[in-house]
Amino acid sequence: MRLLLMSDTHLPRRARELPAELLARVREADAVVHAGDWVDAATLDLLEARARLLVGVYGNNDGPQLRARLPEVARAEFGGVRFGVVHETGGAQGRERRCEERFPDLDVLVFGHSHIPWDSTAPGGLRLLNPGSPTDRRREPYCTYMTAVAEDGRLGEVRLHRLPPRRVTPGR
């Protein structure tokens, strides 16, 4: 299964719309994973309409409307790989140990919140992935998202994609 991983879209606060490159990848993916901080329900509606399969959670910036439609933690199996999705995992120090203790039944945990891309493996084998943000790079040099392939019980082809800087239209 071809997977598209994203988080922290923060629309329309951080950008007016999702980048065209990201939207094109939605149509190519077998499943789209969003690790929270949508901010508006329109983004959820858009991805539900375009994605073959959407797995998402709410984040700390998501209000009652999104929290009514999304869980705090989601689980799914893709290509025989057990995934979990959550928005926040706490600070970077000790993250692998904390997540492995909290999610002992997972192979991969997708998370967000920091807007900082992350790819690590805990001592027990849990893979932790944060795709960054496609709309708000914060202190990072680029806005980002991830793609991966899950098949035959393995996760492969994990790739961090850098998005080109957005053009700012004068007068906006």
Side-chain angles (χ1 to χ4, degrees):
M1 291 188 75
R2 294 168 300 175
L3 308 175
L4 172 62
L5 313 177
M6 69 177 85
S7 186
D8 297 283
T9 47
H10 289 274
L11 294 179
R13 294 182 189 159
R14 300 292 191 256
R16 287 191 173 94
E17 58 191 15
L18 292 175
E21 177 182 325
L22 185 69
L23 287 174
R25 295 277 184 160
V26 168
R27 293 206 186 275
E28 296 170 0
D30 296 308
V32 175
V33 176
H34 192 300
D37 273 3
W38 308 72
V39 178
D40 72 341
T43 304
L44 175 56
D45 295 338
L46 173 71
L47 291 179
E48 282 180 333
R50 292 189 182 196
R52 291 180 190 149
L53 174 63
L54 177 64
V55 176
V57 297
Y58 66 77
N60 61 299
N61 285 295
D62 296 326
Q65 186 180 17
L66 286 161
R67 288 171 186 247
R69 294 173 61 185
L70 296 163
E72 181 180 10
V73 176
R75 295 169 188 269
E77 187 171 310
F78 303 124
V81 180
R82 300 167 302 170
F83 279 78
V85 187
V86 66
H87 185 63
E88 295 186 59
T89 60
Q93 185 78 16
R95 178 176 283 143
E96 286 83 3
R97 178 190 49 76
R98 276 192 318 277
C99 291
E100 203 159 53
E101 288 172 0
R102 184 176 174 197
F103 301 103
D105 58 328
L106 298 180
D107 300 312
V108 179
L109 180 66
V110 180
F111 67 99
H113 188 60
S114 68
H115 299 215
I116 299 170
W118 186 279
D119 183 350
S120 67
T121 303
L126 176 66
R127 182 92 174 255
L128 289 101
L129 299 174
N130 183 330
S133 171
T135 56
D136 184 16
R137 63 182 180 84
R138 286 197 182 159
R139 293 174 300 278
E140 294 298 302
Y142 298 94
C143 289
T144 58
Y145 66 94
M146 285 180 168
T147 56
V149 174
E151 61 186 357
D152 300 324
R154 291 194 219 193
L155 181 69
E157 299 181 39
V158 176
R159 185 169 167 221
L160 180 68
H161 299 267
R162 296 175 173 177
L163 289 160
R166 286 193 310 266
R167 291 184 185 176
V168 177
T169 306
R172 286 189 180 181

